[in-house]
Amino acid sequence: MYDVLNGVRVVELSTWTMVPSCGAVCAEWGADVIKIEHPSGDPQRRVRFTPSADEPAALTMTHLPNRGKRSVALDLHAERGREVLLRLVESADVFLTNFLAPARRKLRVDVEDLRAVNPRLVYAKATGQGPKGPDADLGGYDISAGWARPSMVQQMMAFGADEPPAMPPGLVDLQAGFNLAAGIAGALFKLERTGQPSVVDVSLLSAALWMLGPNLSAAYYDSEILHATGRYDPAHGALTNSYRTRDGRWLYLVFIEPDRYWHDFCRRIDRPDLAADPRFATAEVRAQHVKACVDELEAVFATRTLDEWRAALDGMEGPWAPVQTAAETVRDPQVVANGYLGFAGAGDAAFALVSNPVQFDGQPVGPVALAPAVGEHSDTVLAGLGYDPETIRALHDEGVVG
Protein backbone atom coordinates (compact mmCIF):
# COMPACT_ATOMS: atom_id res chain seq x y z
CA MET A 1 0.00 0.00 0.00
CA TYR A 2 1.25 3.49 -0.86
CA ASP A 3 0.72 6.65 1.18
CA VAL A 4 -0.13 9.19 -1.53
CA LEU A 5 -3.79 9.27 -0.46
CA ASN A 6 -3.09 8.70 3.22
CA GLY A 7 -5.72 10.49 5.30
CA VAL A 8 -8.29 10.52 2.50
CA ARG A 9 -11.59 8.80 3.23
CA VAL A 10 -13.60 7.46 0.30
CA VAL A 11 -17.20 6.35 0.75
CA GLU A 12 -18.07 3.99 -2.09
CA LEU A 13 -21.65 3.15 -3.03
CA SER A 14 -21.22 0.95 -6.08
CA THR A 15 -21.59 -2.52 -7.52
CA TRP A 16 -19.96 -4.77 -10.12
CA THR A 17 -16.49 -3.93 -11.44
CA MET A 18 -15.97 -0.46 -12.91
CA VAL A 19 -16.40 1.82 -9.90
CA PRO A 20 -15.36 -0.75 -7.29
CA SER A 21 -12.06 -1.12 -9.18
CA CYS A 22 -11.58 2.64 -8.76
CA GLY A 23 -12.08 2.19 -5.02
CA ALA A 24 -9.51 -0.61 -5.01
CA VAL A 25 -6.94 1.68 -6.68
CA CYS A 26 -7.66 4.41 -4.12
CA ALA A 27 -7.19 1.86 -1.33
CA GLU A 28 -3.84 0.79 -2.79
CA TRP A 29 -2.85 4.46 -2.92
CA GLY A 30 -3.48 4.69 0.82
CA ALA A 31 -7.06 5.91 1.15
CA ASP A 32 -9.50 4.54 3.69
CA VAL A 33 -12.18 3.16 1.37
CA ILE A 34 -15.48 2.22 2.96
CA LYS A 35 -17.67 0.15 0.67
CA ILE A 36 -21.40 0.52 1.30
CA GLU A 37 -23.32 -2.50 0.07
CA HIS A 38 -26.75 -3.93 0.68
CA PRO A 39 -26.84 -6.62 3.39
CA SER A 40 -27.32 -9.16 0.57
CA GLY A 41 -23.97 -8.07 -0.84
CA ASP A 42 -22.67 -6.60 -4.08
CA PRO A 43 -23.93 -8.91 -6.88
CA GLN A 44 -20.35 -9.00 -8.18
CA ARG A 45 -19.56 -11.32 -5.27
CA ARG A 46 -21.61 -14.02 -6.95
CA VAL A 47 -19.67 -13.90 -10.24
CA ARG A 48 -17.41 -16.96 -10.60
CA PHE A 49 -14.77 -17.98 -13.14
CA THR A 50 -15.11 -21.60 -12.01
CA PRO A 51 -17.99 -23.66 -10.61
CA SER A 52 -16.19 -24.32 -7.33
CA ALA A 53 -16.42 -21.44 -4.89
CA ASP A 54 -13.43 -22.88 -3.01
CA GLU A 55 -10.92 -22.40 -5.81
CA PRO A 56 -8.89 -19.16 -5.64
CA ALA A 57 -9.58 -18.38 -9.31
CA ALA A 58 -13.31 -18.42 -8.57
CA LEU A 59 -12.89 -15.43 -6.25
CA THR A 60 -10.92 -13.21 -8.62
CA MET A 61 -13.87 -11.02 -9.55
CA THR A 62 -14.59 -10.45 -5.87
CA HIS A 63 -11.08 -9.65 -4.72
CA LEU A 64 -9.73 -7.76 -7.73
CA PRO A 65 -12.11 -4.76 -7.57
CA ASN A 66 -12.77 -4.85 -3.80
CA ARG A 67 -9.40 -5.49 -2.19
CA GLY A 68 -8.18 -3.33 0.62
CA LYS A 69 -11.56 -1.85 1.55
CA ARG A 70 -13.79 -1.95 4.60
CA SER A 71 -17.37 -3.13 4.10
CA VAL A 72 -20.43 -1.67 5.78
CA ALA A 73 -23.73 -3.39 4.97
CA LEU A 74 -26.61 -0.91 4.93
CA ASP A 75 -30.19 -0.90 3.74
CA LEU A 76 -30.39 2.59 2.28
CA HIS A 77 -34.11 2.26 1.65
CA ALA A 78 -34.55 2.49 5.41
CA GLU A 79 -34.37 6.02 6.79
CA ARG A 80 -31.99 4.98 9.56
CA GLY A 81 -29.73 3.40 6.97
CA ARG A 82 -29.56 6.67 5.10
CA GLU A 83 -28.80 8.45 8.36
CA VAL A 84 -25.75 6.22 8.82
CA LEU A 85 -24.64 6.97 5.28
CA LEU A 86 -24.91 10.72 5.87
CA ARG A 87 -22.81 10.40 9.02
CA LEU A 88 -20.17 8.65 6.94
CA VAL A 89 -20.35 11.30 4.23
CA GLU A 90 -19.77 14.01 6.83
CA SER A 91 -16.37 12.43 7.52
CA ALA A 92 -15.50 11.70 3.87
CA ASP A 93 -13.39 13.44 1.27
CA VAL A 94 -14.78 11.52 -1.71
CA PHE A 95 -18.10 9.90 -2.53
CA LEU A 96 -17.86 7.28 -5.24
CA THR A 97 -20.83 5.72 -7.04
CA ASN A 98 -22.08 4.02 -10.19
CA PHE A 99 -25.76 4.40 -9.32
CA LEU A 100 -27.68 5.96 -12.20
CA ALA A 101 -29.38 9.32 -11.79
CA PRO A 102 -32.90 7.92 -11.12
CA ALA A 103 -31.54 5.65 -8.37
CA ARG A 104 -29.47 8.48 -6.88
CA ARG A 105 -32.52 10.70 -6.77
CA LYS A 106 -34.68 7.97 -5.24
CA LEU A 107 -32.12 7.27 -2.51
CA ARG A 108 -31.40 11.01 -2.10
CA VAL A 109 -27.66 10.52 -2.58
CA ASP A 110 -27.16 12.92 -5.48
CA VAL A 111 -24.58 15.70 -5.45
CA GLU A 112 -26.85 18.30 -3.83
CA ASP A 113 -28.08 15.85 -1.18
CA LEU A 114 -24.60 14.96 0.02
CA ARG A 115 -23.03 18.39 -0.40
CA ALA A 116 -25.74 19.62 2.01
CA VAL A 117 -23.96 17.70 4.79
CA ASN A 118 -20.41 18.02 3.41
CA PRO A 119 -19.84 21.05 1.15
CA ARG A 120 -16.21 20.03 0.41
CA LEU A 121 -17.13 16.58 -0.87
CA VAL A 122 -15.56 15.41 -4.13
CA TYR A 123 -18.40 13.57 -5.89
CA ALA A 124 -17.18 10.93 -8.36
CA LYS A 125 -19.59 8.97 -10.51
CA ALA A 126 -19.44 6.65 -13.47
CA THR A 127 -22.07 5.47 -15.92
CA GLY A 128 -22.38 3.34 -19.01
CA GLN A 129 -23.05 6.00 -21.63
CA GLY A 130 -22.18 9.29 -19.90
CA PRO A 131 -24.19 11.83 -17.85
CA LYS A 132 -25.90 13.54 -20.80
CA GLY A 133 -27.78 12.51 -23.93
CA PRO A 134 -30.78 10.28 -24.66
CA ASP A 135 -29.26 7.17 -23.04
CA ALA A 136 -27.79 8.82 -19.94
CA ASP A 137 -30.19 6.99 -17.61
CA LEU A 138 -29.72 3.57 -19.21
CA GLY A 139 -27.55 0.99 -17.54
CA GLY A 140 -24.65 -0.64 -19.30
CA TYR A 141 -21.94 -3.22 -18.86
CA ASP A 142 -18.58 -3.09 -20.55
CA ILE A 143 -19.67 -5.59 -23.21
CA SER A 144 -22.44 -3.24 -24.36
CA ALA A 145 -21.24 0.27 -23.54
CA GLY A 146 -17.51 -0.33 -23.82
CA TRP A 147 -17.15 -3.13 -26.34
CA ALA A 148 -20.00 -3.06 -28.85
CA ARG A 149 -21.20 0.55 -28.95
CA PRO A 150 -17.78 2.28 -29.27
CA SER A 151 -16.93 0.08 -32.31
CA MET A 152 -14.25 -1.93 -30.54
CA VAL A 153 -15.84 -5.18 -31.73
CA GLN A 154 -16.27 -3.90 -35.27
CA GLN A 155 -12.67 -2.74 -35.42
CA MET A 156 -11.42 -6.15 -34.36
CA MET A 157 -13.59 -7.76 -37.01
CA ALA A 158 -12.27 -5.30 -39.59
CA PHE A 159 -8.82 -6.75 -38.99
CA GLY A 160 -9.76 -10.32 -39.76
CA ALA A 161 -12.23 -11.80 -37.28
CA ASP A 162 -15.24 -13.50 -38.89
CA GLU A 163 -17.57 -12.90 -35.96
CA PRO A 164 -17.60 -10.80 -32.78
CA PRO A 165 -14.82 -12.13 -30.54
CA ALA A 166 -15.31 -12.88 -26.86
CA MET A 167 -14.32 -10.08 -24.52
CA PRO A 168 -11.90 -10.62 -21.61
CA PRO A 169 -13.76 -10.01 -18.32
CA GLY A 170 -13.71 -6.43 -17.11
CA LEU A 171 -11.50 -5.05 -19.89
CA VAL A 172 -13.17 -1.64 -20.25
CA ASP A 173 -14.48 -1.68 -16.67
CA LEU A 174 -10.94 -1.63 -15.30
CA GLN A 175 -9.79 1.08 -17.71
CA ALA A 176 -12.77 3.26 -16.78
CA GLY A 177 -12.20 2.60 -13.08
CA PHE A 178 -8.60 3.70 -13.35
CA ASN A 179 -9.65 6.80 -15.29
CA LEU A 180 -11.99 7.64 -12.43
CA ALA A 181 -9.22 7.16 -9.84
CA ALA A 182 -7.04 9.57 -11.81
CA GLY A 183 -9.89 12.05 -11.93
CA ILE A 184 -10.34 11.80 -8.17
CA ALA A 185 -6.64 12.46 -7.61
CA GLY A 186 -6.89 15.57 -9.78
CA ALA A 187 -10.02 16.74 -7.96
CA LEU A 188 -8.36 16.29 -4.57
CA PHE A 189 -5.40 18.35 -5.77
CA LYS A 190 -7.75 21.12 -6.90
CA LEU A 191 -9.62 20.95 -3.58
CA GLU A 192 -6.39 21.38 -1.66
CA ARG A 193 -5.25 24.29 -3.85
CA THR A 194 -8.54 26.17 -4.22
CA GLY A 195 -10.97 24.81 -1.64
CA GLN A 196 -13.40 24.06 -4.48
CA PRO A 197 -14.79 20.51 -4.74
CA SER A 198 -15.45 18.89 -8.11
CA VAL A 199 -17.89 16.46 -9.63
CA VAL A 200 -15.88 13.83 -11.52
CA ASP A 201 -17.54 11.94 -14.38
CA VAL A 202 -16.35 8.86 -16.27
CA SER A 203 -18.23 6.37 -18.44
CA LEU A 204 -17.56 3.05 -20.10
CA LEU A 205 -18.20 4.75 -23.42
CA SER A 206 -15.66 7.50 -22.76
CA ALA A 207 -13.05 5.00 -21.58
CA ALA A 208 -13.42 2.91 -24.73
CA LEU A 209 -13.28 5.98 -26.96
CA TRP A 210 -10.01 6.99 -25.31
CA MET A 211 -8.58 3.50 -25.81
CA LEU A 212 -9.53 3.68 -29.49
CA GLY A 213 -8.55 7.32 -29.86
CA PRO A 214 -6.20 7.15 -32.87
CA ASN A 215 -8.54 5.02 -34.97
CA LEU A 216 -11.71 6.89 -34.06
CA SER A 217 -10.17 10.30 -34.61
CA ALA A 218 -9.06 9.21 -38.08
CA ALA A 219 -12.40 7.51 -38.81
CA TYR A 220 -14.20 10.82 -38.28
CA TYR A 221 -12.61 11.96 -41.55
CA ASP A 222 -12.32 8.63 -43.38
CA SER A 223 -14.83 5.92 -42.53
CA GLU A 224 -12.96 3.39 -44.67
CA ILE A 225 -9.65 3.78 -42.88
CA LEU A 226 -10.08 0.63 -40.79
CA HIS A 227 -10.69 -1.70 -43.70
CA ALA A 228 -7.37 -3.52 -43.54
CA THR A 229 -6.31 -6.01 -46.18
CA GLY A 230 -4.79 -8.50 -43.76
CA ARG A 231 -1.19 -9.56 -43.40
CA TYR A 232 -0.23 -8.10 -46.76
CA ASP A 233 -1.49 -4.61 -45.96
CA PRO A 234 1.21 -2.16 -47.10
CA ALA A 235 0.22 0.20 -44.28
CA HIS A 236 1.58 -2.33 -41.78
CA GLY A 237 4.24 -3.99 -43.85
CA ALA A 238 6.30 -7.09 -43.27
CA LEU A 239 8.11 -5.70 -40.22
CA THR A 240 5.02 -4.77 -38.24
CA ASN A 241 3.42 -8.16 -38.48
CA SER A 242 2.91 -11.53 -36.83
CA TYR A 243 4.59 -14.82 -37.72
CA ARG A 244 4.01 -18.46 -36.77
CA THR A 245 6.91 -20.52 -35.48
CA ARG A 246 7.68 -24.18 -36.13
CA ASP A 247 5.97 -25.27 -32.88
CA GLY A 248 2.74 -23.43 -33.70
CA ARG A 249 3.42 -20.37 -31.55
CA TRP A 250 3.25 -16.77 -32.74
CA LEU A 251 5.44 -13.71 -32.36
CA TYR A 252 5.05 -10.07 -33.33
CA LEU A 253 7.62 -7.85 -34.96
CA VAL A 254 6.94 -4.18 -34.25
CA PHE A 255 9.59 -2.32 -36.23
CA ILE A 256 7.90 1.07 -36.47
CA GLU A 257 11.25 2.41 -37.75
CA PRO A 258 11.96 -0.58 -40.02
CA ASP A 259 15.07 0.65 -41.80
CA ARG A 260 16.76 1.23 -38.46
CA TYR A 261 16.56 -2.49 -37.59
CA TRP A 262 16.47 -4.22 -40.96
CA HIS A 263 20.13 -5.19 -41.41
CA ASP A 264 20.64 -6.45 -37.84
CA PHE A 265 17.38 -8.37 -38.04
CA CYS A 266 18.37 -10.09 -41.31
CA ARG A 267 21.69 -11.07 -39.74
CA ARG A 268 19.99 -12.54 -36.67
CA ILE A 269 17.61 -14.68 -38.73
CA ASP A 270 20.54 -15.89 -40.88
CA ARG A 271 19.20 -14.22 -44.01
CA PRO A 272 21.64 -11.38 -44.84
CA ASP A 273 20.65 -11.91 -48.47
CA LEU A 274 17.28 -10.30 -47.71
CA ALA A 275 19.00 -7.07 -46.69
CA ALA A 276 20.86 -7.09 -50.01
CA ASP A 277 17.73 -7.83 -52.07
CA PRO A 278 16.75 -4.64 -54.00
CA ARG A 279 13.06 -5.46 -53.44
CA PHE A 280 13.57 -5.08 -49.71
CA ALA A 281 16.31 -2.46 -49.46
CA THR A 282 14.17 0.29 -47.86
CA ALA A 283 10.78 0.65 -46.22
CA GLU A 284 9.41 2.27 -49.34
CA VAL A 285 10.33 -0.57 -51.67
CA ARG A 286 9.36 -3.22 -49.09
CA ALA A 287 5.88 -1.68 -49.07
CA GLN A 288 5.78 -2.13 -52.83
CA HIS A 289 6.75 -5.80 -52.45
CA VAL A 290 5.00 -6.46 -49.13
CA LYS A 291 3.61 -9.87 -50.10
CA ALA A 292 6.99 -11.18 -51.20
CA CYS A 293 8.64 -9.91 -48.02
CA VAL A 294 5.97 -11.35 -45.73
CA ASP A 295 6.17 -14.70 -47.54
CA GLU A 296 9.95 -14.80 -47.14
CA LEU A 297 9.78 -14.05 -43.42
CA GLU A 298 6.90 -16.46 -42.93
CA ALA A 299 9.01 -19.25 -44.35
CA VAL A 300 11.97 -18.27 -42.18
CA PHE A 301 10.04 -18.18 -38.90
CA ALA A 302 8.46 -21.56 -39.66
CA THR A 303 11.89 -23.20 -39.45
CA ARG A 304 12.48 -22.73 -35.70
CA THR A 305 10.58 -23.00 -32.45
CA LEU A 306 9.62 -20.01 -30.38
CA ASP A 307 12.37 -20.75 -27.85
CA GLU A 308 14.91 -20.89 -30.65
CA TRP A 309 13.71 -17.52 -31.91
CA ARG A 310 13.90 -16.11 -28.39
CA ALA A 311 17.59 -17.01 -28.39
CA ALA A 312 18.21 -15.65 -31.88
CA LEU A 313 16.47 -12.33 -31.24
CA ASP A 314 17.67 -11.86 -27.66
CA GLY A 315 19.14 -8.40 -27.18
CA MET A 316 17.97 -7.10 -30.55
CA GLU A 317 17.16 -3.39 -30.48
CA GLY A 318 14.09 -3.77 -32.66
CA PRO A 319 10.96 -4.35 -30.55
CA TRP A 320 9.31 -7.75 -30.79
CA ALA A 321 7.34 -10.00 -28.47
CA PRO A 322 6.07 -13.56 -28.30
CA VAL A 323 2.31 -14.05 -28.15
CA GLN A 324 2.11 -15.41 -24.62
CA THR A 325 -0.57 -17.34 -22.82
CA ALA A 326 -2.10 -15.83 -19.69
CA ALA A 327 -0.26 -18.41 -17.59
CA GLU A 328 3.05 -17.35 -19.17
CA THR A 329 2.31 -13.67 -18.69
CA VAL A 330 1.75 -13.83 -14.94
CA ARG A 331 5.11 -15.62 -14.62
CA ASP A 332 6.95 -13.42 -17.11
CA PRO A 333 10.29 -12.31 -15.59
CA GLN A 334 9.43 -8.68 -16.39
CA VAL A 335 6.08 -8.96 -14.62
CA VAL A 336 7.72 -10.57 -11.60
CA ALA A 337 10.71 -8.19 -11.45
CA ASN A 338 8.48 -5.10 -11.50
CA GLY A 339 5.90 -6.39 -9.04
CA TYR A 340 3.11 -6.08 -11.57
CA LEU A 341 1.49 -9.15 -10.05
CA GLY A 342 0.87 -8.47 -6.38
CA PHE A 343 -0.24 -10.63 -3.52
CA ALA A 344 -2.91 -9.87 -0.97
CA GLY A 345 -2.24 -11.48 2.36
CA ALA A 346 0.88 -13.44 3.19
CA GLY A 347 2.29 -16.95 3.26
CA ASP A 348 0.06 -19.81 2.19
CA ALA A 349 -2.96 -17.48 2.32
CA ALA A 350 -1.50 -15.04 -0.24
CA PHE A 351 -3.85 -14.35 -3.14
CA ALA A 352 -2.39 -13.31 -6.50
CA LEU A 353 -3.88 -10.12 -7.95
CA VAL A 354 -2.73 -7.90 -10.78
CA SER A 355 -1.51 -4.60 -9.32
CA ASN A 356 -2.83 -1.25 -10.43
CA PRO A 357 -0.53 0.16 -13.12
CA VAL A 358 1.01 3.07 -11.18
CA GLN A 359 3.98 2.74 -8.85
CA PHE A 360 5.46 5.41 -6.61
CA ASP A 361 9.10 5.93 -5.67
CA GLY A 362 10.22 2.80 -7.49
CA GLN A 363 8.38 0.46 -5.16
CA PRO A 364 5.68 -2.14 -5.95
CA VAL A 365 2.44 -1.72 -4.10
CA GLY A 366 3.17 -4.45 -1.54
CA PRO A 367 0.64 -6.59 0.30
CA VAL A 368 -2.90 -5.32 0.60
CA ALA A 369 -5.93 -6.83 2.24
CA LEU A 370 -8.31 -9.09 0.36
CA ALA A 371 -11.88 -8.02 -0.30
CA PRO A 372 -13.84 -7.80 2.95
CA ALA A 373 -16.80 -10.00 3.72
CA VAL A 374 -20.20 -8.33 3.40
CA GLY A 375 -20.59 -6.05 6.40
CA GLU A 376 -17.31 -7.21 7.92
CA HIS A 377 -16.57 -3.74 9.29
CA SER A 378 -20.10 -2.48 9.96
CA ASP A 379 -19.79 -2.44 13.74
CA THR A 380 -16.28 -0.99 13.78
CA VAL A 381 -17.13 1.81 11.37
CA LEU A 382 -20.38 2.68 13.15
CA ALA A 383 -18.59 2.75 16.48
CA GLY A 384 -16.06 5.13 14.95
CA LEU A 385 -18.96 7.40 13.98
CA GLY A 386 -20.09 7.53 17.61
CA TYR A 387 -22.82 4.88 17.63
CA ASP A 388 -22.98 3.06 20.96
CA PRO A 389 -23.24 -0.76 21.15
CA GLU A 390 -26.95 -0.71 22.01
CA THR A 391 -27.79 1.41 18.97
CA ILE A 392 -25.69 -0.77 16.71
CA ARG A 393 -27.47 -3.91 17.98
CA ALA A 394 -30.83 -2.22 17.39
CA LEU A 395 -29.84 -1.36 13.81
CA HIS A 396 -28.90 -5.00 13.26
CA ASP A 397 -32.19 -6.17 14.75
CA GLU A 398 -34.11 -3.84 12.44
CA GLY A 399 -32.26 -5.18 9.40
CA VAL A 400 -30.82 -1.74 8.67
CA VAL A 401 -27.23 -2.89 9.22
CA GLY A 402 -25.86 -6.23 8.11
Side-chain angles (χ1 to χ4, degrees):
M1 180 183 293
Y2 299 115
D3 61 359
V4 294
L5 292 185
N6 186 40
V8 171
R9 171 168 284 185
V10 177
V11 173
E12 175 194 309
L13 178 63
S14 66
T15 56
W16 299 104
T17 303
M18 172 174 51
V19 171
S21 72
C22 170
V25 171
C26 291
E28 287 192 346
W29 288 350
D32 174 22
V33 181
I34 300 174
K35 181 181 179 71
I36 306 299
E37 52 190 320
H38 190 271
S40 63
D42 182 340
Q44 177 77 300
R45 294 178 179 274
R46 295 183 283 279
V47 173
R48 294 286 186 265
F49 274 147
T50 64
S52 173
D54 296 329
E55 295 180 18
L59 301 173
T60 298
M61 293 308 292
T62 293
H63 290 305
L64 184 69
N66 290 300
R67 59 196 179 196
K69 305 175 186 178
R70 296 194 286 168
S71 171
V72 173
L74 281 179
D75 181 0
L76 295 181
H77 295 281
E79 190 59 34
R80 297 192 72 186
R82 184 172 181 276
E83 290 173 5
V84 174
L85 175 67
L86 294 181
R87 292 273 288 271
L88 270 173
V89 167
E90 286 178 350
S91 68
D93 301 285
V94 179
F95 182 77
L96 182 59
T97 188
N98 67 342
F99 281 30
L100 295 170
R104 297 197 305 268
R105 289 192 293 267
K106 181 178 180 181
L107 292 172
R108 290 173 292 157
V109 295
D110 224 334
V111 180
E112 298 77 11
D113 302 307
L114 301 190
R115 289 259 177 90
V117 299
N118 185 346
R120 287 174 54 86
L121 187 70
V122 171
Y123 195 103
K125 54 189 172 75
T127 56
Q129 282 79 218
K132 300 176 182 178
D135 295 338
D137 291 344
L138 295 180
Y141 291 97
D142 58 348
I143 292 177
S144 58
W147 188 245
R149 186 167 192 166
S151 80
M152 192 175 293
V153 173
Q154 189 277 331
Q155 291 195 36
M156 294 185 72
M157 293 176 67
F159 285 95
D162 294 328
E163 59 185 23
M167 177 185 179
L171 179 68
V172 186
D173 278 321
L174 294 173
Q175 177 65 51
F178 194 84
N179 294 352
L180 190 57
I184 287 170
L188 289 170
F189 182 79
K190 176 188 173 185
L191 180 66
E192 182 179 332
R193 286 294 182 92
T194 69
Q196 296 298 313
S198 301
V199 176
V200 184
D201 266 299
V202 163
S203 71
L204 290 167
L205 183 59
S206 72
L209 293 176
W210 178 248
M211 293 166 71
L212 296 168
N215 283 359
L216 291 179
S217 297
Y220 185 85
Y221 301 97
D222 181 0
S223 63
E224 300 298 311
I225 197 165
L226 299 179
H227 289 184
T229 56
R231 303 190 65 233
Y232 299 129
D233 184 354
H236 296 280
L239 300 185
T240 305
N241 221 315
S242 57
Y243 294 95
R244 190 194 295 268
T245 64
R246 192 180 72 193
D247 53 345
R249 299 294 301 272
W250 288 85
L251 58 80
Y252 265 99
L253 304 179
V254 195
F255 298 171
I256 303 297
E257 301 175 90
D259 289 343
R260 176 179 172 184
Y261 312 117
W262 178 233
H263 286 272
D264 180 47
F265 171 70
C266 291
R267 179 184 61 80
R268 287 174 175 271
I269 66 173
D270 296 326
R271 288 295 305 273
D273 60 298
L274 294 179
D277 191 319
R279 297 175 300 167
F280 310 139
T282 66
E284 183 178 359
V285 296
R286 281 193 300 274
Q288 296 169 9
H289 301 93
V290 63
K291 185 178 187 306
C293 194
V294 168
D295 288 346
E296 289 279 6
L297 295 182
E298 200 163 50
V300 170
F301 279 109
T303 63
R304 304 185 202 177
T305 66
L306 179 59
D307 284 343
E308 290 171 328
W309 284 119
R310 287 181 196 269
L313 302 178
D314 182 47
M316 183 178 65
E317 186 181 7
W320 75 280
V323 176
Q324 298 194 134
T325 66
E328 289 172 331
T329 296
V330 296
R331 294 167 177 84
D332 187 311
Q334 281 300 116
V335 172
V336 174
N338 287 284
Y340 293 152
L341 185 73
F343 292 88
D348 294 339
F351 192 97
L353 292 171
V354 173
S355 299
N356 85 76
V358 171
Q359 294 183 350
F360 298 95
D361 304 317
Q363 298 298 317
V365 66
V368 295
L370 293 172
V374 179
E376 180 178 339
H377 304 96
S378 295
D379 292 1
T380 303
V381 171
L382 265 63
L385 294 173
Y387 287 88
D388 59 58
E390 292 75 17
T391 302
I392 294 174
R393 279 196 297 271
L395 291 171
H396 278 288
D397 292 342
E398 294 171 19
V400 173
V401 173

